[in-house]
Amino acid sequence: MMSERPVSTGNEVFARRESRVRSYSRKYDVVFEEARGSLVWDTEGREYLDFLAGAGALNYGHNDPDMADALVAHIRGGGITHGLDLFTRPKMEFLEAFEGLILEPRGMDYRVQFTGPTGTNAVEAALKLARKVTGRRNVIAFTNGFHGVSQGALAATGNRDKRMGTTLSLPDVTRLPYDGYLGSVDTADLLDRMLSDHSSGVDEPAAILLETVQGEGGLNVASRPWLRRIAAIAKTYGALLIVDDIQAGCGRTGSFFSFEGTGVTPDLITMSKSISGFGLPMALLLLKPELDIWKPGEHNGTFRGNAHAFVTARVALEKFWGDRSFQEDVVASGVLLGERLTQIAKLVPGARVKGRGMMQGIDVRDGSVAAEICRLCARQQLIVETAGPDDEIVKILAPLTTPTQLLHHGLDIIEESAAAGLHDVAV
Ligand SMILES: *Cc1c(COP(=O)(O)O)cnc(C)c1O
């Protein structure tokens, strides 16, 4: 017989056993148990409004009923769960949906590479491929960019083919200022100048890697002209343009890809976070067909074939991206969010609104003020987080499906907290 495990009575096990590396949980000293749409409940039955949404992994909210039904039916029917990169029905149906609902209507021709199931791994794959294609090491990345946390896994791998011995070295990144970083200085001009001068100290890049809206870095938005200039510069100097759409993609800025309407066609696009639609691990790299020079297995991984994620990802595409109505709703919610945040920002001296679409926040210019606002929000059971170099931005990542009335409710809490927060912190 199995030994009886005592019924859990509290959260002491986390302090006892979980690594200190945990972060989000430090601000919410409760145990979460259930979730639906934009709401979550703790073990005491208290209800929270979720404006963090898995850091953008839950654009369609928690436990979408259609995705849940499809997933449960798949499991109950004995559907395959793990398939490495074997052909499986869920992968076939996902690819058909992605082709028919996302790529073809946008006139986009890309191959889909299923990487390991984290965003970081999709970025790793993009960087490796860019280096393999160009035979160059250097990569241009930008101030405040966030692209993941791996650095040593590949360096520690023995197999020379996997390490791509001659072209790959982990630290080869040149950091340059993002759009707006130097005030009125055009940082695309700066990049152009540095690349045109063989004595600038910046080596020819394999790739230029960017987010169109910097998620973790503080909701900095690249302008369309800047993005077009960067794309042109990449072409001129033989570098691949990689758009990291892991957070800004899947509708977050109002369109499926964040760069739609800019006239920019990236060579490589990374996606993760909300691509599975359900919060299941899944990541992919979109590559222009002519760049698909991988040898079989050259970038592999045990969990590339997460069939459960393929099932929910397919339902997400069919449910939300079959016509324009969802997209129109997201754009309307983004406008509402921007209007309300503009009013709220007036409560905090020097504050301003940053971001685009449903990826906006208030820069209150002081991390302690932003932390206090979030703490007051948490007391009113609103989950919301900060971003930016000094965590000085209160960043709203509500599910895109949040009903207008709940969006207002959350923003009311933020408004009250912003008004009250100032009195509690010495500014
Ligand atoms: C979250 C994120 C990543 C990393 O994804 P993980 O799944 O956490 O590895 C990479 N790029 C961007 C833009 C992100 O927001």
Side-chain angles (χ1 to χ4, degrees):
M1 244 183 67
M2 279 208 312
S3 66
E4 289 254 319
R5 200 162 52 88
V7 175
S8 177
T9 50
N11 57 10
E12 299 83 11
V13 70
F14 298 113
R16 207 161 59 234
R17 287 294 162 201
E18 192 179 5
S19 163
R20 292 171 50 81
V21 76
R22 66 193 178 79
S23 58
Y24 293 110
S25 57
R26 295 174 186 279
K27 296 171 196 165
Y28 305 94
D29 192 24
V30 297
V31 179
F32 294 105
E33 186 167 29
E34 284 178 40
R36 196 176 332 113
S38 303
L39 300 172
V40 294
W41 289 269
D42 68 17
T43 46
E44 309 282 307
R46 276 185 298 256
E47 183 176 286
Y48 300 78
L49 181 53
D50 186 3
F51 276 13
L52 174 58
L58 293 161
N59 280 4
Y60 313 107
H62 293 266
N63 281 320
D64 176 273
D66 297 310
M67 296 181 213
D69 283 351
L71 182 56
V72 169
H74 175 80
I75 295 169
R76 287 257 176 258
I80 193 161
T81 295
H82 183 278
L84 294 171
D85 68 4
L86 297 168
F87 293 161
T88 62
R89 176 178 286 281
K91 183 159 72 172
M92 177 169 70
E93 291 176 352
F94 167 76
L95 279 172
E96 284 169 355
F98 196 78
E99 179 177 63
L101 297 170
I102 302 298
L103 294 178
E104 285 175 356
R106 290 166 181 75
M108 294 170 68
D109 185 13
Y110 287 85
R111 294 264 173 89
V112 181
Q113 176 183 354
F114 297 102
T115 66
T118 63
T120 303
N121 197 261
V123 172
E124 289 255 12
L127 295 176
K128 280 166 72 176
L129 183 61
R131 284 164 165 146
K132 183 178 164 76
V133 166
T134 59
R136 300 174 178 176
R137 283 185 175 173
N138 192 29
V139 166
I140 306 282
F142 293 96
T143 49
N144 288 309
F146 178 78
H147 303 288
V149 295
S150 66
Q151 55 152 355
L154 198 59
T157 298
N159 185 304
R160 186 177 298 148
D161 280 351
K162 291 269 186 285
R163 267 191 287 117
M164 299 168 61
T166 54
T167 52
L168 187 62
S169 167
L170 291 166
D172 294 313
V173 169
T174 301
R175 192 114 19 225
L176 284 168
Y178 191 70
D179 193 17
Y181 189 77
L182 295 176
S184 59
V185 174
D186 185 332
T187 61
D189 279 346
L190 180 68
L191 173 62
D192 194 7
R193 178 84 186 97
M194 309 236 13
L195 293 181
S196 66
D197 176 3
H198 64 88
S199 196
S200 70
V202 177
D203 291 331
E204 289 179 311
I208 301 178
L209 169 65
L210 59 86
E211 299 156 89
T212 66
V213 182
Q214 295 185 319
E216 300 308 299
L219 300 175
N220 306 306
V221 179
S223 72
R224 284 175 189 208
W226 188 84
L227 287 170
R228 276 200 291 270
R229 275 292 303 289
I230 298 294
I233 291 167
K235 208 178 209 106
T236 302
Y237 297 100
L240 302 187
L241 178 66
I242 309 173
V243 171
D244 181 347
D245 233 8
I246 289 169
Q247 190 164 145
C250 296
R252 182 50 64 182
T253 64
S255 46
F256 186 81
F257 296 106
S258 69
F259 53 83
E260 283 177 44
T262 63
V264 167
T265 309
D267 297 297
L268 301 168
I269 303 159
T270 55
M271 308 207 76
S272 185
K273 293 216 161 84
S274 278
I275 189 67
S276 81
F278 202 66
L280 290 169
M282 176 173 171
L284 46 88
L285 174 64
L286 303 179
L287 46 146
K288 284 188 175 165
E290 65 272 23
L291 300 177
D292 194 12
I293 61 163
W294 288 117
K295 286 189 285 184
E298 202 170 16
H299 185 89
N300 62 15
T302 307
F303 289 107
R304 288 166 300 150
N306 182 353
H308 292 177
F310 297 151
V311 169
T312 56
R314 191 239 326 140
V315 175
L317 297 181
E318 289 170 353
K319 178 167 178 175
F320 295 102
W321 298 98
D323 61 36
R324 294 191 56 85
S325 58
F326 173 67
Q327 203 168 323
E328 283 160 10
D329 290 348
V330 176
V331 169
S333 295
V335 170
L336 187 153
L337 177 63
E339 286 169 359
R340 292 255 357 229
L341 290 181
T342 304
Q343 292 305 317
I344 296 171
K346 290 179 182 161
L347 299 170
V348 185
R352 64 187 171 128
V353 178
K354 294 179 79 179
R356 193 152 72 80
M358 283 293 276
M359 192 173 178
Q360 299 189 66
I362 308 176
D363 179 356
V364 296
R365 295 176 179 274
D366 181 334
S368 61
V369 175
E372 179 62 9
I373 292 171
C374 290
R375 197 185 63 80
L376 292 172
C377 287
R379 281 219 307 233
Q380 297 203 60
Q381 283 145 242
L382 173 72
I383 301 171
V384 64
E385 267 294 338
T386 56
D390 300 310
D391 291 318
E392 75 282 22
I393 294 156
V394 179
K395 175 183 172 190
I396 289 88
L397 277 183
L400 307 181
T401 50
T402 306
T404 307
Q405 172 220 343
L406 273 184
L407 198 55
H408 275 299
H409 176 57
L411 288 162
D412 289 344
I413 294 174
I414 293 171
E415 185 161 36
E416 281 174 41
S417 303
L422 277 181
H423 305 299
D424 297 2
V425 182
V427 270

